[in-house]
């Protein structure tokens, strides 16, 4: 991970002056989506890059130690060894960026990875995920427990009520407290953009989260009706760029929710490359929150290597 973002004082004057040009955002998002996607070996290289940025996730009510174990094994070896060998990529240490689980499953993930002699980061959602509507002390305790159990990254959710009612100071104070509870653990802040109403609110929430010390800002929990969309991403990454130009601190970006195809992952990489530059094209500053994306990337790579498409049952979870 990159150096932690120490945050800044809350600049309410900056926040109050923000206005987002909706039409310009939509036009830019359309342009990004219309770009030509690389083909053949170049596409495969970009797909491998996307794979190394995935937070391989399971956030289901029926999660058990055994399916968390399978998730961890898949994260360590996301592409079959024989496929990697044919591309001469078998010794490049290709893994996903992290695994992401509920707080109560952190210990299971840490145990599985330790047994496999892997140092892959374990990310945990926290702070009353996905709604963020539990009391503040409960949310803080959840962060502390996940860190104690071995989580090296915490994905917190903001209290959307504060954002929707313009209580930016209260939101800043809450996130600062989460930052403190995380200690040295990296903190990603989920904005739940589908529930923020406007692009202007999304920009303001992004900026407040970064000023409060977030190392990453993340689009969604994956549980809202609207999750990661390209227009919202444009707004968030422009906020990241503005924050960097103002403070010199690079904050990461994580789209999550509804990202299922290899094609989509290439569009996300193109968006980051164009808007933030090559520095952000690495797991330290860019993540893709996904549970089913890996299967499609795997199928595309299988096709590149063999000339045939694999059935999903030929590429099992682990």
């Amino acid at each position: 991970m990159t150096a932690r973002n120490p945050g800044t004082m809350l600049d309410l004057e900056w926040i109050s002056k923000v206005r987002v040009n909706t039409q310009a955002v939509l036009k830019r998002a359309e342009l990004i989506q219309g770009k030509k996607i690389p083909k053949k070996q170049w596409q495969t290289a970009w797909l491998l890059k996307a794979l190394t940025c995935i937070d391989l996730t399971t956030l289901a009510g029926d999660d058990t130690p055994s399916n968390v174990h399978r998730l961890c094994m898949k994260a360590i070896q996301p592409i079959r060894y024989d496929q990697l060998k044919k591309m001469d990529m078998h010794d490049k240490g290709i893994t996903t960026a992290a695994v992401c689980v509920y707080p109560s499953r952190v210990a299971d993930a840490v145990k599985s990875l330790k047994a496999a002699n892997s140092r892959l980061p374990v990310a945990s959602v926290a702070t009353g995920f996905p709604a963020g509507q539990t009391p503040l002390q409960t949310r803080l305790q959840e962060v502390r427990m996940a860190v104690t159990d071995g989580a090296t990254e915490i994905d917190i959710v903001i209290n959307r009520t504060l954002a929707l009612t313009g209580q930016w100071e209260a939101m800043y104070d809450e996130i600062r407290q989460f930052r403190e509870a995380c200690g040295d653990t990296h903190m990603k802040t989920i904005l739940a953009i589908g529930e923020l109403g406007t692009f202007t609110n999304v920009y303001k929430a992004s900026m407040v989260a970064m000023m409060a010390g977030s190392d990453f800002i993340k689009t969604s929990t994956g549980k809202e009706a609207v999750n990661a969309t390209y227009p919202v991403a444009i707004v968030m990454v422009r906020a990241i760029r503005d924050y960097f130009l103002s403070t010199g601190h690079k904050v990461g970006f994580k789209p999550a929710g509804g990202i299922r195809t290899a094609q989509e992952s290439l569009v996300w990489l193109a968006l980051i490359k164009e808007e933030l530059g090559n520095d952000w094209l690495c797991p330290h500053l860019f993540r893709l929150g996904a549970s089913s994306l890996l299967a499609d990337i795997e199928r595309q790579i299988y096709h590149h290597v063999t000339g045939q498409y694999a059935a999903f049952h030929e590429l099992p979870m682990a």
Side-chain angles (χ1 to χ4, degrees), residues 251-273:
V251 172
F253 175 65
K254 177 178 173 180
I259 304 169
R260 294 189 178 89
T261 68
Q263 188 87 355
E264 286 172 273
S265 72
L266 295 174
V267 177
W268 282 109
L269 288 173
L271 187 151
I272 295 302
K273 184 176 170 65

Side-chain angles (χ1 to χ4, degrees), residues 184-217:
D184 291 333
T185 303
H186 274 252
M187 184 175 85
K188 308 192 201 93
T189 298
I190 306 169
L191 304 182
I193 52 88
E195 295 173 356
L196 290 183
T198 65
F199 286 150
T200 299
N201 262 353
V202 169
Y203 185 98
K204 288 180 177 183
S206 300
M207 198 53 78
V208 171
M210 291 186 285
M211 287 173 177
S214 305
D215 298 303
F216 262 73
I217 51 174

Side-chain angles (χ1 to χ4, degrees), residues 57-314:
T57 303
T58 181
L59 295 169
D62 56 0
D63 284 342
T64 61
S66 60
N67 76 317
V68 168
H69 176 73
R70 286 175 63 217
L71 184 89
C72 292
M73 295 305 100
K74 188 66 180 175
I76 295 168
Q77 181 77 59
I79 301 290
R80 275 173 28 187
Y81 183 82
D82 60 316
Q83 309 276 316
L84 288 173
K85 197 157 173 58
K86 283 177 183 168
M87 296 183 285
D88 199 26
M89 295 295 287
H90 58 290
D91 54 356
K92 301 292 188 288
I94 288 180
T95 66
T96 66
V99 293
C100 182
V101 294
Y102 273 121
S104 55
R105 300 270 73 90
V106 167
D108 298 332
V110 169
K111 183 181 171 188
S112 291
L113 291 167
K114 197 174 178 185
N117 207 17
S118 168
R119 300 181 59 149
L120 200 73
V122 174
S124 170
V125 296
T127 69
F129 179 96
Q133 291 283 15
T134 48
L136 179 59
Q137 288 311 314
T138 308
R139 286 179 278 151
L140 286 165
Q141 190 57 19
E142 200 175 27
V143 172
R144 294 186 196 108
M145 287 170 75
V147 171
T148 302
D149 281 350
T152 47
E153 301 175 10
I154 301 289
D155 289 27
I156 67 155
V157 289
I158 65 164
N159 180 340
R160 272 79 96 193
T161 308
L162 299 178
L164 288 168
T165 53
Q167 297 180 65
W168 301 113
E169 222 164 329
M171 183 176 139
Y172 174 87
D173 290 340
E174 277 201 358
I175 298 173
R176 281 306 276 182
Q177 289 183 63
F178 297 146
R179 168 76 276 169
E180 244 171 76
C182 283
D184 291 333
T185 303
H186 274 252
M187 184 175 85
K188 308 192 201 93
T189 298
I190 306 169
L191 304 182
I193 52 88
E195 295 173 356
L196 290 183
T198 65
F199 286 150
T200 299
N201 262 353
V202 169
Y203 185 98
K204 288 180 177 183
S206 300
M207 198 53 78
V208 171
M210 291 186 285
M211 287 173 177
S214 305
D215 298 303
F216 262 73
I217 51 174
K218 175 177 169 181
T219 59
S220 324
T221 64
K223 310 290 184 185
E224 295 94 42
V226 178
N227 293 293
T229 68
Y230 303 120
V232 157
I234 300 285
V235 175
M236 290 175 71
V237 297
R238 293 279 171 97
I240 288 171
R241 192 201 299 177
D242 291 345
Y243 184 79
F244 172 65
L245 292 172
S246 169
T247 67
H249 293 296
K250 292 176 179 172
V251 172
F253 175 65
K254 177 178 173 180
I259 304 169
R260 294 189 178 89
T261 68
Q263 188 87 355
E264 286 172 273
S265 72
L266 295 174
V267 177
W268 282 109
L269 288 173
L271 187 151
I272 295 302
K273 184 176 170 65
E274 295 230 342
E275 289 289 325
L276 292 172
N278 288 339
D279 281 4
W280 265 264
L281 279 178
C282 65
H284 300 314
L285 289 168
F286 178 63
R287 299 286 180 86
L288 287 158
S291 47
S292 54
L293 170 63
L294 178 57
D296 195 47
I297 289 180
E298 220 182 337
R299 284 185 84 224
Q300 300 305 326
I301 290 173
Y302 183 97
H303 179 259
H304 170 71
V305 171
T306 66
Q308 300 171 314
Y309 278 109
F312 277 109
H313 69 264
E314 292 181 90

